[in-house]
Amino acid sequence: MINLNDAQAFLRDIIKEAGALTLQYRENIKTLRVEQKGTDKDLVTEADQAVESMLRQRILERYPDHAILGEEEGESGAHACRWIIDPIDGTISYLHGQYQYSVSIALEVNGHLELAAVLAPALDDLYTARRGQGAFLNGVQMRVSNTTVLGDGVLSTGFACIRAGLSETNLPLFCSMMPRIRDIRRGGSAALDLCMVASGQLDGYWEKHINLYDIAAGMLILKEAGGRVSDYRGGDDFLPQEILGTNGLIHRECMDVIKSFIKTET
Ligand code: 2AM
Ligand code: CA
Ligand code: CA
Ligand code: CA
């Protein structure tokens, strides 16, 4: 079986290399090759592709048998160990020269998330976690916020639904949540949003129509920081492509807002 100490050190090395590559491509951001994926709002740059390709190469050099799930190249291999990669989470932030994007990598072993790392290269912030061993920002252990009331909370969300061209959007739920909370933030990287809940900078985050590679690393990091992650109905199993991540203390109140919204929608 895999040695998790070695894998943790390896993960730290490759995510730093990936972060450096994103910064290198950003030097020529105006001439970056950009393609449309599904809809005209769903974009992929040559940097997304190059980072995933480099990460796959590094992983397979070190662990030739391992499985990999990545946003840009999909699923490969079949093995108890699976690396879950989002090479650039927050492509639109990245493409517009903003700092709120990340590289997200998790290692799943026999269906359990064991290791996670999320790096925000433009901020030089590295979030890491190992199952049962806590979560860290740049090596310093993190805890979620102690906000107990939704009205005191600053939350984040995203609109992957709209970029995916789906008719069901997050907008009605957003309108329902907004007056109940202190304020909203919209960074554009699901992975980083979860990490910011983990570090207490945010109190919660919700989004629908995201994918496992957007949130796998962030979920482990948030849980290890004492937070709670569920689907919109409070279920702990993943996740009909929807996620609510909070400090735990405001989870019930968030779910009440979301639930009443779901009821009126259906
Ligand atoms: P990306 O930047 O890696 O594509 C923010 O709203 C979240 O939605 C990010 O994790 C973003 O990931 C994801 N996202 C963006 N476009 C999407 C689409 N068309 N379908 C699903 N998720 C998307
Ligand atoms: Ca994408
Ligand atoms: Ca993503
Ligand atoms: Ca991505």
Side-chain angles (χ1 to χ4, degrees), residues 15-182:
I15 204 164
K16 287 189 172 164
E17 188 178 350
L21 196 53
T22 68
L23 292 172
Q24 199 179 311
Y25 273 95
R26 239 156 89 107
E27 286 169 15
N28 301 309
I29 199 142
K30 295 218 163 64
T31 56
L32 212 57
R33 183 166 47 76
V34 184
E35 290 165 17
Q36 199 175 302
K37 288 170 95 178
T39 67
D40 63 353
K41 292 180 198 283
D42 190 4
L43 304 175
V44 58
T45 76
E46 62 184 303
D48 298 71
Q49 292 162 338
V51 171
E52 180 161 333
S53 161
M54 182 279 284
L55 286 170
R56 282 176 179 271
Q57 196 182 324
R58 291 284 175 276
I59 291 166
L60 294 176
E61 278 162 10
R62 177 72 172 256
Y63 301 109
D65 301 336
H66 283 191
I68 301 174
L69 168 67
E71 177 177 2
E72 307 308 341
E73 294 181 40
E75 186 103 47
S76 68
H79 191 275
C81 295
R82 180 167 69 147
W83 297 83
I84 303 172
I85 299 171
D86 194 337
I88 296 181
D89 188 48
T91 295
I92 291 184
S93 300
Y94 177 77
L95 184 58
H96 286 255
Q98 298 166 9
Y99 56 80
Q100 201 100 352
Y101 75 90
S102 62
V103 182
S104 172
I105 307 175
L107 174 64
E108 185 191 69
V109 182
N110 292 318
H112 293 286
L113 293 169
E114 295 288 350
L115 300 177
V118 172
L119 175 66
L123 295 164
D124 208 13
D125 278 344
L126 176 61
Y127 297 86
T128 53
R130 179 164 166 178
R131 185 157 70 104
Q133 297 191 10
F136 298 81
L137 168 54
N138 297 327
V140 178
Q141 188 154 16
M142 313 184 277
R143 278 291 301 176
V144 289
S145 71
N146 52 18
T147 304
T148 53
V149 180
L150 185 59
D152 294 339
V154 177
L155 278 75
S156 164
T157 188
F159 298 87
C161 44
I162 292 177
R163 267 177 285 158
L166 297 163
S167 58
E168 186 206 351
T169 80
N170 185 29
L171 288 169
L173 174 51
F174 175 84
C175 292
S176 178
M177 190 70 85
M178 186 64 212
R180 292 175 159 91
I181 63 180
R182 179 172 286 169

Side-chain angles (χ1 to χ4, degrees), residues 124-254:
D124 208 13
D125 278 344
L126 176 61
Y127 297 86
T128 53
R130 179 164 166 178
R131 185 157 70 104
Q133 297 191 10
F136 298 81
L137 168 54
N138 297 327
V140 178
Q141 188 154 16
M142 313 184 277
R143 278 291 301 176
V144 289
S145 71
N146 52 18
T147 304
T148 53
V149 180
L150 185 59
D152 294 339
V154 177
L155 278 75
S156 164
T157 188
F159 298 87
C161 44
I162 292 177
R163 267 177 285 158
L166 297 163
S167 58
E168 186 206 351
T169 80
N170 185 29
L171 288 169
L173 174 51
F174 175 84
C175 292
S176 178
M177 190 70 85
M178 186 64 212
R180 292 175 159 91
I181 63 180
R182 179 172 286 169
D183 209 345
I184 196 86
R185 293 291 179 268
R186 165 62 174 142
S189 164
L192 211 46
D193 284 344
L194 288 166
C195 289
M196 289 174 71
V197 180
S199 67
Q201 298 170 74
L202 292 169
D203 303 293
Y205 157 75
W206 82 92
E207 186 158 7
K208 201 162 178 174
H209 302 298
I210 33 89
N211 294 286
L212 184 59
Y213 44 72
D214 300 312
I215 55 168
M219 283 198 309
L220 179 62
I221 289 167
L222 177 50
K223 282 188 197 163
E224 287 296 326
R228 182 169 168 202
V229 178
S230 77
D231 62 25
Y232 282 4
R233 291 171 175 78
D236 284 332
D237 293 330
F238 183 72
L239 282 167
Q241 291 196 305
E242 62 191 26
I243 185 165
L244 171 64
T246 73
N247 66 358
L249 302 169
I250 62 163
H251 208 86
R252 167 64 45 195
E253 249 191 300
C254 282

